[in-house]
Amino acid sequence: MALIEELNQQGNFLFRWRTYIPGLVLAFSLAYLPYVPFFGGIYKLNLYWLAFAFFVSLLGLGVRCFTIGYTPARTSGRNTKQQVADMVNQTGIYSLVRHPLYVGNFLLYLGPVLILRDVAFTLVFIMFFYLYYERIIFAEEYFLRGKFGADYLSWADKTPAFIPQVRGYVKPSLSFSFKNILKREYPSLFGIIVVFTFFDLIQVYYQEPYLHIQNFSGIWKPFHSLFFGFGAFFYVTVRLIVKTTKLLDVEGR
C-alpha cells in the first residue's frame, strides 16, 4: 500500500474513534494528579489556577460553538462512520482556519492538562494531539480534495489548517443558531464541568490528608455542589428537550 493511502486509512480509522481516544489524555492526567500539590500550597490559590484552566477549556468550547452556530447540516458534523460533506465551508470561522473544531478540541483538552502545571506533560500532550489529529486532518482533506477538487484547493491555499489567520474574515450567509449549539454541544459543557469537579476533588483528597478521617463526602465542598449541580441540571434539562421534543430542531442544520 502506498504511503498516501496508508495515511488516509489510518486517518479514517482515527476519525471514527476521535470522540474517545483523546480521553486517554484525561486518564493519564488523572493518574498524575495525586502527585500535584496545590498551587502555592494553598487551596484558594489553587482554585484561581483551576479557574484559569477552566477558562481555557471554555474558550475551546466557545470556538466549537461559534463554528457550529453558523454551519449547515452535513458539514462539521458528528458523523463517525465515514466522511460527509455536501459543500466546503469557506465563510465565518472557516475563512480564518480550515479545522476550527479541532482548534476548539485542542483548547478544551488543554485545560485539564494545565491543572498539572507540568511543562513536560504539556509538551507530550501537544505532540500527541498533533500526531493524532494530523492523520485525521489528512483523511478529511484527502476526501474533500477528491470530492470538490479545485474549489477546495483554492480555499485551502489561502486558509491555514490549524493556526487561525487574523485577517480575511468572510461573513457567513446563514444566521447564527443558538438552538443548534444547545442541541449539539450540551454534552461538551457538562463533560467539562464533570472533569474539573472531579479533578479538584481528587486533588483535595490527596493534598488534605486529614480529611481522610471522614468519608469521601467530607471533601465535597459547597463549591462542588453548586458547580456540578448546575452542570447536571443543565445536561438533564437539555437532553430531555432534545430527546422528547423538536424545540431545538433547526431546518437545514
Side-chain angles (χ1 to χ4, degrees), residues 65-91:
C65 289
F66 186 79
T67 304
I68 291 169
Y70 283 111
T71 52
R74 291 177 63 83
T75 61
S76 302
R78 292 184 177 274
N79 48 298
T80 58
K81 294 183 179 180
Q82 60 184 355
Q83 306 285 350
V84 174
D86 289 343
M87 60 176 289
V88 179
N89 287 323
Q90 301 185 36
T91 61

Side-chain angles (χ1 to χ4, degrees), residues 60-70 101 176-177 181-182 185:
L61 181 61
V63 172
R64 288 186 56 86
C65 289
F66 186 79
T67 304
I68 291 169
Y70 283 111
L101 290 178
F176 187 78
S177 174
I181 291 174
L182 275 179
E185 289 301 304

Side-chain angles (χ1 to χ4, degrees), residues 52 90 118 120 129 156 239 253:
F52 168 73
Q90 301 185 36
D118 187 287
F129 190 93
R239 186 168 182 82
R253 303 297 182 98

Side-chain angles (χ1 to χ4, degrees), residues 231-246:
F233 176 78
F234 174 81
Y235 176 83
V236 172
T237 301
V238 178
R239 186 168 182 82
L240 284 174
I241 292 173
V242 170
K243 296 297 183 181
T244 61
T245 75
K246 295 185 177 181

Side-chain angles (χ1 to χ4, degrees), residues 9-102:
Q9 187 180 69
Q10 292 175 7
N12 281 316
F13 172 80
L14 294 174
F15 176 84
R16 289 193 293 271
W17 295 96
R18 70 192 188 280
T19 303
Y20 306 102
I21 293 180
L24 291 172
V25 174
L26 299 180
F28 284 120
S29 299
L30 190 60
Y32 186 20
L33 193 60
Y35 307 100
V36 179
F38 288 151
F39 187 84
I42 303 172
Y43 178 70
K44 186 175 181 180
L45 288 179
N46 200 72
L47 277 181
Y48 291 140
W49 180 255
L50 196 74
F52 168 73
F54 183 70
F55 173 77
V56 172
S57 289
L58 280 187
L59 184 62
L61 181 61
V63 172
R64 288 186 56 86
C65 289
F66 186 79
T67 304
I68 291 169
Y70 283 111
T71 52
R74 291 177 63 83
T75 61
S76 302
R78 292 184 177 274
N79 48 298
T80 58
K81 294 183 179 180
Q82 60 184 355
Q83 306 285 350
V84 174
D86 289 343
M87 60 176 289
V88 179
N89 287 323
Q90 301 185 36
T91 61
I93 197 170
Y94 284 96
S95 61
L96 303 179
V97 62
R98 298 203 302 271
H99 300 280
L101 290 178
Y102 297 152

Side-chain angles (χ1 to χ4, degrees), residues 207-246:
Q207 298 305 315
E208 296 187 2
Y210 64 88
L211 291 175
H212 294 191
I213 299 173
Q214 309 172 43
N215 54 32
F216 191 77
S217 63
I219 66 172
W220 187 276
K221 303 176 185 294
F223 161 75
H224 301 119
S225 299
L226 292 173
F227 190 61
F228 184 81
F230 164 77
F233 176 78
F234 174 81
Y235 176 83
V236 172
T237 301
V238 178
R239 186 168 182 82
L240 284 174
I241 292 173
V242 170
K243 296 297 183 181
T244 61
T245 75
K246 295 185 177 181

